[in-house]
Amino acid sequence: MAVNLPLPVAANLKPVPGIALGHAEAGVRKANRKDLLVMRLAEGATVSGVFTLNRFCAAPVQLCKAHLQSGKPIRALVVNTGNANAGTGEAGLANANRTCAELAQLLGCAPEQILPYSTGVILEPLPVERIVAGMPQAIANLAEDNWYKAAETIMTTDTQPKAASRTVEINGKTITLTGISKGAGMIKPNMATMLGYIATDAKVAQPVLDAMVKTAADRSFNCITIDGDTSTNDSFMLIATGASGVDVGAAGSEAHALLQDAVISLSQELAQMIVRDGEGATKFMTITVEGGASVEECRKIAYSIGHSPLVKTAFYASDPNLGRILAAIGYAGVDDLDVSKINLWLDDVWVAKNGGRNPDYQEADGQRVMKGSEITVRVALARGDASATIWTCDLSHDYVSINADYRS
């Protein structure tokens, strides 16, 4: 069960003019479940994305990069769940290419104008025939208000769909943003999340959109971890349909800043939904490291804490064995760290002072905080002005069970 994460309400997810979404039950891996999504874009839309840095990146990731670099306008995206089409070699690339070719023929565009995405089991052949057979059904129910069903369609081990909307006033007009994401395990994004899609009806030039999606990813999906595993299929896409007619202009303009802030806010909400729905999660943890010499070293320490199985299991058990946090700080790889200056807090409880146990710290106070479902860990390094925040969850028995039974 997700941690303090209410189900999205379909009626609250705002249609974005210029993008229609349709789903199908293609039986990619399991029967009687939505597992194929088509997103059709209006002419004039711009699309940009960031992808996994895993060297074993999946065939659809390779093809998405190539199609985006081709310079041809993107007309549709297609997503299948149940099979990652990763670790599949030349056959996997051929299947990803065929997926694009078949959808392009149905939509009347070139294969290079299609972006494919897959998520699911790695090292298994993509059942491309089932995907192709499901495409007409997905196209038949294309609609601008299908965001909730789209969020359901891209789920794998997620316990619930993840979706949200925003509006922002730009140049006297209301601009709409709606997004969906998926992911619950194999989450330590490196340039993106498992799968995430945000669309807006603002008009954004390609170079501006390219920079905007990178900034948003760095402030959101690149700040989460569940288990420290970077997926082969991570993809985060930003789509600007331009249907509102409002052009945000160049970076640095007021309109650009307003849209960038809205994209970051929505990205952070979607990213945190992934952590709250982490496999077996019972607690949502915010880890902030401040007073660093650089953002990079602050993130390094934050992730060291967030990845530690010992730290995560202690939080699951509400056991204030907080020396584990200090140990994780110490092995984070900041070689010149002066541990005698480090201070540590759990919420409002000052745990470690100047590198040692705070004389006023009481274990009962630490346990009180750890029994909560929302916990903040704050570390002060006293090295500079840089800071970084990541979001993670605890590690429970259920995480092991879910992943032990994933293919059964």
Side-chain angles (χ1 to χ4, degrees), residues 27 33 36 38 100 131 154 165 172 176 182 187 208 224 266 283 294 302 335 349 351 384 395:
R33 64 145 294 171
L36 180 64
V38 171
C100 294
I131 292 171
I154 64 174
S165 289
T176 302
K182 64 82 50 181
I187 297 290
V208 177
I224 64 173
L266 182 53
K283 295 176 182 177
S294 67
D335 295 335
V349 177
V351 175
L395 187 61

Side-chain angles (χ1 to χ4, degrees), residues 363-375:
E363 187 161 304
D365 293 330
Q367 191 166 53
R368 168 180 57 80
V369 172
M370 293 183 78
K371 284 182 176 179
S373 59
E374 307 251 352
I375 302 165

Side-chain angles (χ1 to χ4, degrees), residues 226-243:
I226 289 174
D227 48 22
D229 271 306
T230 295
S231 168
T232 54
N233 294 62
D234 290 351
S235 304
F236 170 48
M237 309 304 298
L238 183 57
I239 301 160
T241 70

